PDB file of all heavy atoms in Angstrom:
ATOM      1  N   ALA T 950       0.831  -1.220   0.015  1.00 82.00           N
ATOM      2  CA  ALA T 950       0.006   0.027  -0.025  1.00 82.00           C
ATOM      3  C   ALA T 950       0.851   1.256  -0.009  1.00 82.00           C
ATOM      4  O   ALA T 950       0.473   2.261  -0.607  1.00 82.00           O
ATOM      5  CB  ALA T 950      -0.919  -0.006   1.227  1.00 82.00           C
ATOM      6  N   ALA T 951       2.000   1.206   0.623  1.00 78.00           N
ATOM      7  CA  ALA T 951       2.868   2.367   0.731  1.00 78.00           C
ATOM      8  C   ALA T 951       4.228   1.953   1.272  1.00 78.00           C
ATOM      9  O   ALA T 951       4.337   0.906   1.948  1.00 78.00           O
ATOM     10  CB  ALA T 951       2.273   3.458   1.605  1.00 78.00           C
ATOM     11  N   GLU T 952       5.245   2.729   1.006  1.00 79.00           N
ATOM     12  CA  GLU T 952       6.550   2.581   1.609  1.00 79.00           C
ATOM     13  C   GLU T 952       6.725   3.616   2.671  1.00 79.00           C
ATOM     14  O   GLU T 952       6.557   4.832   2.381  1.00 79.00           O
ATOM     15  CB  GLU T 952       7.673   2.624   0.557  1.00 79.00           C
ATOM     16  CG  GLU T 952       7.642   1.442  -0.421  1.00 79.00           C
ATOM     17  CD  GLU T 952       8.848   1.356  -1.288  1.00 79.00           C
ATOM     18  OE1 GLU T 952       9.791   2.197  -1.085  1.00 79.00           O
ATOM     19  OE2 GLU T 952       8.954   0.468  -2.137  1.00 79.00           O
ATOM     20  N   ILE T 953       7.065   3.193   3.879  1.00 73.00           N
ATOM     21  CA  ILE T 953       7.110   4.106   5.011  1.00 73.00           C
ATOM     22  C   ILE T 953       8.549   4.433   5.385  1.00 73.00           C
ATOM     23  O   ILE T 953       9.418   3.556   5.432  1.00 73.00           O
ATOM     24  CB  ILE T 953       6.417   3.429   6.239  1.00 73.00           C
ATOM     25  CG1 ILE T 953       5.012   2.956   5.868  1.00 73.00           C
ATOM     26  CG2 ILE T 953       6.394   4.378   7.439  1.00 73.00           C
ATOM     27  CD1 ILE T 953       4.092   4.071   5.450  1.00 73.00           C
ATOM     28  N   SER T 954       8.830   5.690   5.633  1.00 68.00           N
ATOM     29  CA  SER T 954      10.179   6.146   6.038  1.00 68.00           C
ATOM     30  C   SER T 954      10.251   6.091   7.568  1.00 68.00           C
ATOM     31  O   SER T 954       9.431   6.648   8.261  1.00 68.00           O
ATOM     32  CB  SER T 954      10.421   7.563   5.569  1.00 68.00           C
ATOM     33  OG  SER T 954      10.271   7.627   4.163  1.00 68.00           O
ATOM     34  N   MET T 955      11.293   5.432   8.088  1.00 65.00           N
ATOM     35  CA  MET T 955      11.528   5.310   9.508  1.00 65.00           C
ATOM     36  C   MET T 955      12.700   6.216   9.892  1.00 65.00           C
ATOM     37  O   MET T 955      13.794   6.087   9.382  1.00 65.00           O
ATOM     38  CB  MET T 955      11.796   3.880   9.898  1.00 65.00           C
ATOM     39  CG  MET T 955      10.775   2.906   9.408  1.00 65.00           C
ATOM     40  SD  MET T 955       9.164   3.111  10.187  1.00 65.00           S
ATOM     41  CE  MET T 955       9.467   2.467  11.799  1.00 65.00           C
ATOM     42  N   LEU T 956      12.500   7.096  10.882  1.00 62.00           N
ATOM     43  CA  LEU T 956      13.510   8.027  11.363  1.00 62.00           C
ATOM     44  C   LEU T 956      13.791   7.753  12.828  1.00 62.00           C
ATOM     45  O   LEU T 956      12.902   7.417  13.584  1.00 62.00           O
ATOM     46  CB  LEU T 956      13.097   9.483  11.187  1.00 62.00           C
ATOM     47  CG  LEU T 956      12.732   9.906   9.777  1.00 62.00           C
ATOM     48  CD1 LEU T 956      12.200  11.336   9.798  1.00 62.00           C
ATOM     49  CD2 LEU T 956      13.856   9.759   8.787  1.00 62.00           C
ATOM     50  N   GLU T 957      15.078   7.869  13.212  1.00 62.00           N
ATOM     51  CA  GLU T 957      15.440   7.682  14.618  1.00 62.00           C
ATOM     52  C   GLU T 957      16.445   8.756  15.021  1.00 62.00           C
ATOM     53  O   GLU T 957      17.355   9.067  14.282  1.00 62.00           O
ATOM     54  CB  GLU T 957      15.997   6.288  14.815  1.00 62.00           C
ATOM     55  CG  GLU T 957      16.425   5.964  16.227  1.00 62.00           C
ATOM     56  CD  GLU T 957      16.934   4.547  16.402  1.00 62.00           C
ATOM     57  OE1 GLU T 957      18.125   4.368  16.145  1.00 62.00           O
ATOM     58  OE2 GLU T 957      16.143   3.660  16.745  1.00 62.00           O
ATOM     59  N   TRP T 958      16.291   9.287  16.235  1.00 60.00           N
ATOM     60  CA  TRP T 958      17.229  10.232  16.747  1.00 60.00           C
ATOM     61  C   TRP T 958      17.592   9.838  18.167  1.00 60.00           C
ATOM     62  O   TRP T 958      16.743   9.365  18.928  1.00 60.00           O
ATOM     63  CB  TRP T 958      16.631  11.655  16.778  1.00 60.00           C
ATOM     64  CG  TRP T 958      17.463  12.670  17.461  1.00 60.00           C
ATOM     65  CD1 TRP T 958      18.480  13.389  16.879  1.00 60.00           C
ATOM     66  CD2 TRP T 958      17.373  13.094  18.808  1.00 60.00           C
ATOM     67  NE1 TRP T 958      19.038  14.220  17.784  1.00 60.00           N
ATOM     68  CE2 TRP T 958      18.393  14.093  18.990  1.00 60.00           C
ATOM     69  CE3 TRP T 958      16.543  12.787  19.898  1.00 60.00           C
ATOM     70  CZ2 TRP T 958      18.561  14.747  20.215  1.00 60.00           C
ATOM     71  CZ3 TRP T 958      16.714  13.435  21.080  1.00 60.00           C
ATOM     72  CH2 TRP T 958      17.757  14.417  21.242  1.00 60.00           C
ATOM     73  N   GLU T 959      18.868   9.963  18.501  1.00 65.00           N
ATOM     74  CA  GLU T 959      19.325   9.567  19.860  1.00 65.00           C
ATOM     75  C   GLU T 959      20.095  10.710  20.456  1.00 65.00           C
ATOM     76  O   GLU T 959      20.976  11.322  19.829  1.00 65.00           O
ATOM     77  CB  GLU T 959      20.288   8.356  19.770  1.00 65.00           C
ATOM     78  CG  GLU T 959      20.785   7.905  21.131  1.00 65.00           C
ATOM     79  CD  GLU T 959      21.644   6.698  21.014  1.00 65.00           C
ATOM     80  OE1 GLU T 959      21.800   6.146  19.900  1.00 65.00           O
ATOM     81  OE2 GLU T 959      22.287   6.310  22.045  1.00 65.00           O
ATOM     82  N   ALA T 960      19.753  11.063  21.694  1.00 59.00           N
ATOM     83  CA  ALA T 960      20.450  12.135  22.398  1.00 59.00           C
ATOM     84  C   ALA T 960      21.873  11.685  22.728  1.00 59.00           C
ATOM     85  O   ALA T 960      22.020  10.657  23.379  1.00 59.00           O
ATOM     86  CB  ALA T 960      19.691  12.531  23.648  1.00 59.00           C
ATOM     87  N   LYS T 961      22.863  12.406  22.306  1.00 65.00           N
ATOM     88  CA  LYS T 961      24.270  12.012  22.564  1.00 65.00           C
ATOM     89  C   LYS T 961      24.755  12.393  23.967  1.00 65.00           C
ATOM     90  O   LYS T 961      25.581  11.731  24.551  1.00 65.00           O
ATOM     91  CB  LYS T 961      25.157  12.655  21.529  1.00 65.00           C
ATOM     92  CG  LYS T 961      24.850  12.281  20.115  1.00 65.00           C
ATOM     93  CD  LYS T 961      24.880  10.800  19.838  1.00 65.00           C
ATOM     94  CE  LYS T 961      24.581  10.466  18.402  1.00 65.00           C
ATOM     95  NZ  LYS T 961      24.518   9.018  18.148  1.00 65.00           N
ATOM     96  N   THR T 962      24.195  13.463  24.512  1.00 64.00           N
ATOM     97  CA  THR T 962      24.613  13.928  25.818  1.00 64.00           C
ATOM     98  C   THR T 962      23.411  14.317  26.656  1.00 64.00           C
ATOM     99  O   THR T 962      22.310  14.481  26.155  1.00 64.00           O
ATOM    100  CB  THR T 962      25.559  15.148  25.700  1.00 64.00           C
ATOM    101  OG1 THR T 962      24.775  16.275  25.180  1.00 64.00           O
ATOM    102  CG2 THR T 962      26.699  14.861  24.742  1.00 64.00           C
ATOM    103  N   ALA T 963      23.647  14.499  27.933  1.00 62.00           N
ATOM    104  CA  ALA T 963      22.574  14.971  28.830  1.00 62.00           C
ATOM    105  C   ALA T 963      22.064  16.345  28.411  1.00 62.00           C
ATOM    106  O   ALA T 963      20.904  16.638  28.519  1.00 62.00           O
ATOM    107  CB  ALA T 963      23.063  14.968  30.281  1.00 62.00           C
ATOM    108  N   ALA T 964      22.958  17.167  27.912  1.00 62.00           N
ATOM    109  CA  ALA T 964      22.557  18.511  27.477  1.00 62.00           C
ATOM    110  C   ALA T 964      21.590  18.426  26.320  1.00 62.00           C
ATOM    111  O   ALA T 964      20.620  19.175  26.218  1.00 62.00           O
ATOM    112  CB  ALA T 964      23.799  19.316  27.079  1.00 62.00           C
ATOM    113  N   ASP T 965      21.814  17.495  25.391  1.00 56.00           N
ATOM    114  CA  ASP T 965      20.900  17.337  24.254  1.00 56.00           C
ATOM    115  C   ASP T 965      19.516  16.940  24.733  1.00 56.00           C
ATOM    116  O   ASP T 965      18.518  17.328  24.152  1.00 56.00           O
ATOM    117  CB  ASP T 965      21.419  16.222  23.287  1.00 56.00           C
ATOM    118  CG  ASP T 965      22.566  16.718  22.473  1.00 56.00           C
ATOM    119  OD1 ASP T 965      22.675  17.921  22.247  1.00 56.00           O
ATOM    120  OD2 ASP T 965      23.416  15.874  22.046  1.00 56.00           O
ATOM    121  N   ARG T 966      19.459  16.169  25.809  1.00 54.00           N
ATOM    122  CA  ARG T 966      18.133  15.691  26.333  1.00 54.00           C
ATOM    123  C   ARG T 966      17.417  16.832  27.006  1.00 54.00           C
ATOM    124  O   ARG T 966      16.195  16.821  27.144  1.00 54.00           O
ATOM    125  CB  ARG T 966      18.367  14.533  27.258  1.00 54.00           C
ATOM    126  CG  ARG T 966      18.806  13.270  26.542  1.00 54.00           C
ATOM    127  CD  ARG T 966      18.710  12.041  27.441  1.00 54.00           C
ATOM    128  NE  ARG T 966      19.679  12.077  28.521  1.00 54.00           N
ATOM    129  CZ  ARG T 966      20.914  11.535  28.382  1.00 54.00           C
ATOM    130  NH1 ARG T 966      21.287  11.027  27.246  1.00 54.00           N
ATOM    131  NH2 ARG T 966      21.743  11.566  29.402  1.00 54.00           N
ATOM    132  N   ARG T 967      18.156  17.851  27.516  1.00 55.00           N
ATOM    133  CA  ARG T 967      17.517  18.901  28.298  1.00 55.00           C
ATOM    134  C   ARG T 967      17.068  20.087  27.426  1.00 55.00           C
ATOM    135  O   ARG T 967      16.078  20.724  27.733  1.00 55.00           O
ATOM    136  CB  ARG T 967      18.492  19.425  29.367  1.00 55.00           C
ATOM    137  CG  ARG T 967      18.687  18.437  30.545  1.00 55.00           C
ATOM    138  CD  ARG T 967      19.359  19.179  31.710  1.00 55.00           C
ATOM    139  NE  ARG T 967      20.642  19.730  31.352  1.00 55.00           N
ATOM    140  CZ  ARG T 967      21.770  19.061  31.569  1.00 55.00           C
ATOM    141  NH1 ARG T 967      21.778  17.869  32.069  1.00 55.00           N
ATOM    142  NH2 ARG T 967      22.956  19.641  31.216  1.00 55.00           N
ATOM    143  N   ARG T 968      17.805  20.374  26.354  1.00 54.00           N
ATOM    144  CA  ARG T 968      17.500  21.612  25.634  1.00 54.00           C
ATOM    145  C   ARG T 968      16.859  21.265  24.291  1.00 54.00           C
ATOM    146  O   ARG T 968      16.827  20.163  23.806  1.00 54.00           O
ATOM    147  CB  ARG T 968      18.756  22.403  25.394  1.00 54.00           C
ATOM    148  CG  ARG T 968      19.752  21.759  24.347  1.00 54.00           C
ATOM    149  CD  ARG T 968      20.859  22.700  24.035  1.00 54.00           C
ATOM    150  NE  ARG T 968      21.630  22.252  22.902  1.00 54.00           N
ATOM    151  CZ  ARG T 968      22.756  21.532  22.987  1.00 54.00           C
ATOM    152  NH1 ARG T 968      23.207  21.185  24.169  1.00 54.00           N
ATOM    153  NH2 ARG T 968      23.428  21.145  21.916  1.00 54.00           N
ATOM    154  N   SER T 969      16.300  22.315  23.690  1.00 49.00           N
ATOM    155  CA  SER T 969      15.734  22.216  22.324  1.00 49.00           C
ATOM    156  C   SER T 969      16.862  22.380  21.334  1.00 49.00           C
ATOM    157  O   SER T 969      17.022  23.453  20.719  1.00 49.00           O
ATOM    158  CB  SER T 969      14.646  23.257  22.115  1.00 49.00           C
ATOM    159  OG  SER T 969      14.170  23.207  20.803  1.00 49.00           O
ATOM    160  N   ALA T 970      17.698  21.360  21.169  1.00 47.00           N
ATOM    161  CA  ALA T 970      18.831  21.430  20.270  1.00 47.00           C
ATOM    162  C   ALA T 970      18.367  21.384  18.830  1.00 47.00           C
ATOM    163  O   ALA T 970      17.278  20.878  18.554  1.00 47.00           O
ATOM    164  CB  ALA T 970      19.804  20.259  20.574  1.00 47.00           C
ATOM    165  N   PRO T 971      19.130  21.877  17.858  1.00 47.00           N
ATOM    166  CA  PRO T 971      18.733  21.848  16.454  1.00 47.00           C
ATOM    167  C   PRO T 971      18.327  20.456  15.983  1.00 47.00           C
ATOM    168  O   PRO T 971      17.474  20.283  15.159  1.00 47.00           O
ATOM    169  CB  PRO T 971      19.953  22.347  15.716  1.00 47.00           C
ATOM    170  CG  PRO T 971      20.650  23.237  16.708  1.00 47.00           C
ATOM    171  CD  PRO T 971      20.439  22.532  18.046  1.00 47.00           C
ATOM    172  N   SER T 972      18.969  19.422  16.504  1.00 51.00           N
ATOM    173  CA  SER T 972      18.680  18.056  16.071  1.00 51.00           C
ATOM    174  C   SER T 972      17.768  17.311  17.057  1.00 51.00           C
ATOM    175  O   SER T 972      17.373  16.181  16.852  1.00 51.00           O
ATOM    176  CB  SER T 972      19.972  17.220  15.921  1.00 51.00           C
ATOM    177  OG  SER T 972      20.645  17.212  17.185  1.00 51.00           O
ATOM    178  N   GLY T 973      17.378  18.021  18.156  1.00 61.00           N
ATOM    179  CA  GLY T 973      16.572  17.347  19.150  1.00 61.00           C
ATOM    180  C   GLY T 973      15.077  17.624  18.918  1.00 61.00           C
ATOM    181  O   GLY T 973      14.705  18.443  18.087  1.00 61.00           O
ATOM    182  N   PHE T 974      14.249  16.916  19.642  1.00 67.00           N
ATOM    183  CA  PHE T 974      12.809  17.015  19.507  1.00 67.00           C
ATOM    184  C   PHE T 974      12.162  17.661  20.727  1.00 67.00           C
ATOM    185  O   PHE T 974      12.559  17.369  21.853  1.00 67.00           O
ATOM    186  CB  PHE T 974      12.188  15.611  19.297  1.00 67.00           C
ATOM    187  CG  PHE T 974      12.667  14.889  18.067  1.00 67.00           C
ATOM    188  CD1 PHE T 974      12.787  13.504  18.035  1.00 67.00           C
ATOM    189  CD2 PHE T 974      13.035  15.593  16.917  1.00 67.00           C
ATOM    190  CE1 PHE T 974      13.225  12.876  16.898  1.00 67.00           C
ATOM    191  CE2 PHE T 974      13.462  14.958  15.794  1.00 67.00           C
ATOM    192  CZ  PHE T 974      13.575  13.567  15.795  1.00 67.00           C
ATOM    193  N   VAL T 975      11.152  18.445  20.514  1.00 73.00           N
ATOM    194  CA  VAL T 975      10.321  18.999  21.533  1.00 73.00           C
ATOM    195  C   VAL T 975       8.870  18.849  21.168  1.00 73.00           C
ATOM    196  O   VAL T 975       8.567  18.662  19.978  1.00 73.00           O
ATOM    197  CB  VAL T 975      10.671  20.497  21.798  1.00 73.00           C
ATOM    198  CG1 VAL T 975      12.073  20.656  22.293  1.00 73.00           C
ATOM    199  CG2 VAL T 975      10.410  21.320  20.541  1.00 73.00           C
ATOM    200  N   PRO T 976       7.937  18.922  22.086  1.00 74.00           N
ATOM    201  CA  PRO T 976       6.511  18.764  21.739  1.00 74.00           C
ATOM    202  C   PRO T 976       6.099  19.780  20.705  1.00 74.00           C
ATOM    203  O   PRO T 976       6.538  20.933  20.697  1.00 74.00           O
ATOM    204  CB  PRO T 976       5.808  18.973  23.066  1.00 74.00           C
ATOM    205  CG  PRO T 976       6.809  18.551  24.114  1.00 74.00           C
ATOM    206  CD  PRO T 976       8.110  19.019  23.546  1.00 74.00           C
ATOM    207  N   ALA T 977       5.155  19.371  19.822  1.00 76.00           N
ATOM    208  CA  ALA T 977       4.667  20.252  18.764  1.00 76.00           C
ATOM    209  C   ALA T 977       3.141  20.401  18.873  1.00 76.00           C
ATOM    210  O   ALA T 977       2.461  19.562  19.466  1.00 76.00           O
ATOM    211  CB  ALA T 977       5.001  19.656  17.397  1.00 76.00           C
ATOM    212  N   ARG T 978       2.655  21.475  18.357  1.00 76.00           N
ATOM    213  CA  ARG T 978       1.214  21.693  18.299  1.00 76.00           C
ATOM    214  C   ARG T 978       0.548  20.886  17.171  1.00 76.00           C
ATOM    215  O   ARG T 978       1.216  20.700  16.100  1.00 76.00           O
ATOM    216  CB  ARG T 978       0.905  23.160  18.060  1.00 76.00           C
ATOM    217  CG  ARG T 978       1.393  24.108  19.152  1.00 76.00           C
ATOM    218  CD  ARG T 978       0.934  25.531  18.855  1.00 76.00           C
ATOM    219  NE  ARG T 978       1.310  25.948  17.464  1.00 76.00           N
ATOM    220  CZ  ARG T 978       0.778  26.999  16.878  1.00 76.00           C
ATOM    221  NH1 ARG T 978      -0.163  27.770  17.480  1.00 76.00           N
ATOM    222  NH2 ARG T 978       1.213  27.360  15.645  1.00 76.00           N
ATOM    223  N   ARG T 979      -0.643  20.474  17.381  1.00 74.00           N
ATOM    224  CA  ARG T 979      -1.332  19.654  16.347  1.00 74.00           C
ATOM    225  C   ARG T 979      -1.448  20.422  15.063  1.00 74.00           C
ATOM    226  O   ARG T 979      -1.277  19.861  13.948  1.00 74.00           O
ATOM    227  CB  ARG T 979      -2.717  19.247  16.825  1.00 74.00           C
ATOM    228  CG  ARG T 979      -3.492  18.349  15.868  1.00 74.00           C
ATOM    229  CD  ARG T 979      -4.807  17.905  16.434  1.00 74.00           C
ATOM    230  NE  ARG T 979      -5.747  19.029  16.566  1.00 74.00           N
ATOM    231  CZ  ARG T 979      -6.563  19.445  15.578  1.00 74.00           C
ATOM    232  NH1 ARG T 979      -6.518  18.834  14.387  1.00 74.00           N
ATOM    233  NH2 ARG T 979      -7.397  20.431  15.764  1.00 74.00           N
ATOM    234  N   VAL T 980      -1.737  21.720  15.096  1.00 76.00           N
ATOM    235  CA  VAL T 980      -1.931  22.446  13.869  1.00 76.00           C
ATOM    236  C   VAL T 980      -0.648  22.507  13.057  1.00 76.00           C
ATOM    237  O   VAL T 980      -0.693  22.448  11.826  1.00 76.00           O
ATOM    238  CB  VAL T 980      -2.478  23.882  14.164  1.00 76.00           C
ATOM    239  CG1 VAL T 980      -1.475  24.651  14.987  1.00 76.00           C
ATOM    240  CG2 VAL T 980      -2.841  24.619  12.908  1.00 76.00           C
ATOM    241  N   ASP T 981       0.497  22.604  13.732  1.00 74.00           N
ATOM    242  CA  ASP T 981       1.766  22.640  13.006  1.00 74.00           C
ATOM    243  C   ASP T 981       2.040  21.345  12.280  1.00 74.00           C
ATOM    244  O   ASP T 981       2.508  21.297  11.130  1.00 74.00           O
ATOM    245  CB  ASP T 981       2.902  22.986  13.933  1.00 74.00           C
ATOM    246  CG  ASP T 981       2.837  24.402  14.497  1.00 74.00           C
ATOM    247  OD1 ASP T 981       2.248  25.240  13.796  1.00 74.00           O
ATOM    248  OD2 ASP T 981       3.335  24.654  15.589  1.00 74.00           O
ATOM    249  N   VAL T 982       1.809  20.223  13.004  1.00 73.00           N
ATOM    250  CA  VAL T 982       2.013  18.919  12.392  1.00 73.00           C
ATOM    251  C   VAL T 982       1.030  18.689  11.235  1.00 73.00           C
ATOM    252  O   VAL T 982       1.360  18.167  10.182  1.00 73.00           O
ATOM    253  CB  VAL T 982       1.877  17.825  13.450  1.00 73.00           C
ATOM    254  CG1 VAL T 982       1.978  16.427  12.809  1.00 73.00           C
ATOM    255  CG2 VAL T 982       2.969  17.954  14.487  1.00 73.00           C
ATOM    256  N   TYR T 983      -0.230  19.126  11.431  1.00 72.00           N
ATOM    257  CA  TYR T 983      -1.253  18.922  10.421  1.00 72.00           C
ATOM    258  C   TYR T 983      -0.859  19.625   9.099  1.00 72.00           C
ATOM    259  O   TYR T 983      -0.874  19.033   8.027  1.00 72.00           O
ATOM    260  CB  TYR T 983      -2.573  19.500  10.916  1.00 72.00           C
ATOM    261  CG  TYR T 983      -3.725  19.387   9.928  1.00 72.00           C
ATOM    262  CD1 TYR T 983      -4.454  18.218   9.867  1.00 72.00           C
ATOM    263  CD2 TYR T 983      -4.005  20.406   9.057  1.00 72.00           C
ATOM    264  CE1 TYR T 983      -5.504  18.095   8.952  1.00 72.00           C
ATOM    265  CE2 TYR T 983      -5.021  20.306   8.123  1.00 72.00           C
ATOM    266  CZ  TYR T 983      -5.797  19.149   8.095  1.00 72.00           C
ATOM    267  OH  TYR T 983      -6.798  19.044   7.186  1.00 72.00           O
ATOM    268  N   LEU T 984      -0.415  20.871   9.220  1.00 74.00           N
ATOM    269  CA  LEU T 984      -0.028  21.623   7.997  1.00 74.00           C
ATOM    270  C   LEU T 984       1.202  21.011   7.335  1.00 74.00           C
ATOM    271  O   LEU T 984       1.278  20.863   6.103  1.00 74.00           O
ATOM    272  CB  LEU T 984       0.231  23.081   8.385  1.00 74.00           C
ATOM    273  CG  LEU T 984      -0.977  23.878   8.782  1.00 74.00           C
ATOM    274  CD1 LEU T 984      -0.541  25.264   9.261  1.00 74.00           C
ATOM    275  CD2 LEU T 984      -1.981  23.997   7.656  1.00 74.00           C
ATOM    276  N   HIS T 985       2.168  20.594   8.181  1.00 73.00           N
ATOM    277  CA  HIS T 985       3.386  19.954   7.631  1.00 73.00           C
ATOM    278  C   HIS T 985       3.072  18.654   6.910  1.00 73.00           C
ATOM    279  O   HIS T 985       3.550  18.386   5.811  1.00 73.00           O
ATOM    280  CB  HIS T 985       4.359  19.755   8.756  1.00 73.00           C
ATOM    281  CG  HIS T 985       5.669  19.184   8.290  1.00 73.00           C
ATOM    282  ND1 HIS T 985       6.636  19.945   7.668  1.00 73.00           N
ATOM    283  CD2 HIS T 985       6.198  17.926   8.392  1.00 73.00           C
ATOM    284  CE1 HIS T 985       7.651  19.195   7.357  1.00 73.00           C
ATOM    285  NE2 HIS T 985       7.408  17.962   7.806  1.00 73.00           N
ATOM    286  N   VAL T 986       2.215  17.824   7.518  1.00 71.00           N
ATOM    287  CA  VAL T 986       1.847  16.557   6.946  1.00 71.00           C
ATOM    288  C   VAL T 986       1.152  16.744   5.628  1.00 71.00           C
ATOM    289  O   VAL T 986       1.433  16.053   4.617  1.00 71.00           O
ATOM    290  CB  VAL T 986       0.996  15.771   7.932  1.00 71.00           C
ATOM    291  CG1 VAL T 986       0.248  14.621   7.195  1.00 71.00           C
ATOM    292  CG2 VAL T 986       1.857  15.190   9.032  1.00 71.00           C
ATOM    293  N   ARG T 987       0.227  17.684   5.555  1.00 72.00           N
ATOM    294  CA  ARG T 987      -0.546  17.894   4.323  1.00 72.00           C
ATOM    295  C   ARG T 987       0.306  18.367   3.167  1.00 72.00           C
ATOM    296  O   ARG T 987      -0.055  18.108   2.031  1.00 72.00           O
ATOM    297  CB  ARG T 987      -1.659  18.899   4.590  1.00 72.00           C
ATOM    298  CG  ARG T 987      -2.743  18.373   5.562  1.00 72.00           C
ATOM    299  CD  ARG T 987      -3.427  17.138   5.085  1.00 72.00           C
ATOM    300  NE  ARG T 987      -4.315  16.601   6.060  1.00 72.00           N
ATOM    301  CZ  ARG T 987      -4.934  15.408   5.937  1.00 72.00           C
ATOM    302  NH1 ARG T 987      -4.699  14.668   4.894  1.00 72.00           N
ATOM    303  NH2 ARG T 987      -5.752  14.968   6.884  1.00 72.00           N
ATOM    304  N   MET T 988       1.450  19.032   3.444  1.00 74.00           N
ATOM    305  CA  MET T 988       2.268  19.565   2.394  1.00 74.00           C
ATOM    306  C   MET T 988       3.520  18.674   2.123  1.00 74.00           C
ATOM    307  O   MET T 988       4.307  18.955   1.243  1.00 74.00           O
ATOM    308  CB  MET T 988       2.761  20.972   2.751  1.00 74.00           C
ATOM    309  CG  MET T 988       1.622  21.999   2.804  1.00 74.00           C
ATOM    310  SD  MET T 988       2.229  23.704   3.078  1.00 74.00           S
ATOM    311  CE  MET T 988       2.835  23.544   4.725  1.00 74.00           C
ATOM    312  N   SER T 989       3.622  17.585   2.850  1.00 72.00           N
ATOM    313  CA  SER T 989       4.803  16.719   2.761  1.00 72.00           C
ATOM    314  C   SER T 989       4.792  15.805   1.557  1.00 72.00           C
ATOM    315  O   SER T 989       3.877  15.034   1.391  1.00 72.00           O
ATOM    316  CB  SER T 989       4.968  15.896   4.035  1.00 72.00           C
ATOM    317  OG  SER T 989       5.957  14.892   3.881  1.00 72.00           O
ATOM    318  N   PRO T 990       5.810  15.839   0.711  1.00 72.00           N
ATOM    319  CA  PRO T 990       5.919  14.888  -0.399  1.00 72.00           C
ATOM    320  C   PRO T 990       6.081  13.451   0.083  1.00 72.00           C
ATOM    321  O   PRO T 990       5.653  12.504  -0.601  1.00 72.00           O
ATOM    322  CB  PRO T 990       7.092  15.385  -1.209  1.00 72.00           C
ATOM    323  CG  PRO T 990       7.925  16.124  -0.261  1.00 72.00           C
ATOM    324  CD  PRO T 990       6.957  16.767   0.704  1.00 72.00           C
ATOM    325  N   VAL T 991       6.704  13.271   1.235  1.00 64.00           N
ATOM    326  CA  VAL T 991       6.867  11.920   1.800  1.00 64.00           C
ATOM    327  C   VAL T 991       5.515  11.388   2.171  1.00 64.00           C
ATOM    328  O   VAL T 991       5.172  10.189   1.886  1.00 64.00           O
ATOM    329  CB  VAL T 991       7.788  11.956   3.029  1.00 64.00           C
ATOM    330  CG1 VAL T 991       7.825  10.588   3.720  1.00 64.00           C
ATOM    331  CG2 VAL T 991       9.188  12.381   2.636  1.00 64.00           C
ATOM    332  N   PHE T 992       4.692  12.211   2.796  1.00 67.00           N
ATOM    333  CA  PHE T 992       3.317  11.793   3.182  1.00 67.00           C
ATOM    334  C   PHE T 992       2.515  11.413   1.927  1.00 67.00           C
ATOM    335  O   PHE T 992       1.783  10.398   1.902  1.00 67.00           O
ATOM    336  CB  PHE T 992       2.659  12.936   3.959  1.00 67.00           C
ATOM    337  CG  PHE T 992       1.184  12.726   4.199  1.00 67.00           C
ATOM    338  CD1 PHE T 992       0.762  11.780   5.068  1.00 67.00           C
ATOM    339  CD2 PHE T 992       0.256  13.515   3.557  1.00 67.00           C
ATOM    340  CE1 PHE T 992      -0.581  11.571   5.304  1.00 67.00           C
ATOM    341  CE2 PHE T 992      -1.080  13.328   3.789  1.00 67.00           C
ATOM    342  CZ  PHE T 992      -1.515  12.363   4.643  1.00 67.00           C
TER     343      PHE T 992
END
């Protein structure tokens, strides 16, 4: 039905886990994800 892309990120240091680093993840709003998903070529 589709080919799914799997992504994984691992915090290298304790500082990465505490801050919103460029490569780190923080909670997102539903509206932001919704708009991104709808415009995504991967989706």
Side-chain angles (χ1 to χ4, degrees):
E952 292 191 3
I953 307 299
S954 302
M955 307 294 287
L956 304 176
E957 182 178 82
W958 174 84
E959 180 180 354
K961 301 301 182 184
T962 67
D965 286 335
R966 290 192 289 271
R967 288 195 299 267
R968 72 171 190 265
S969 176
S972 60
F974 298 149
V975 296
R978 298 185 306 165
R979 182 177 69 88
V980 63
D981 292 334
V982 175
Y983 180 86
L984 293 174
H985 183 75
V986 163
R987 293 301 174 188
M988 294 185 293
S989 168
V991 174
F992 171 69

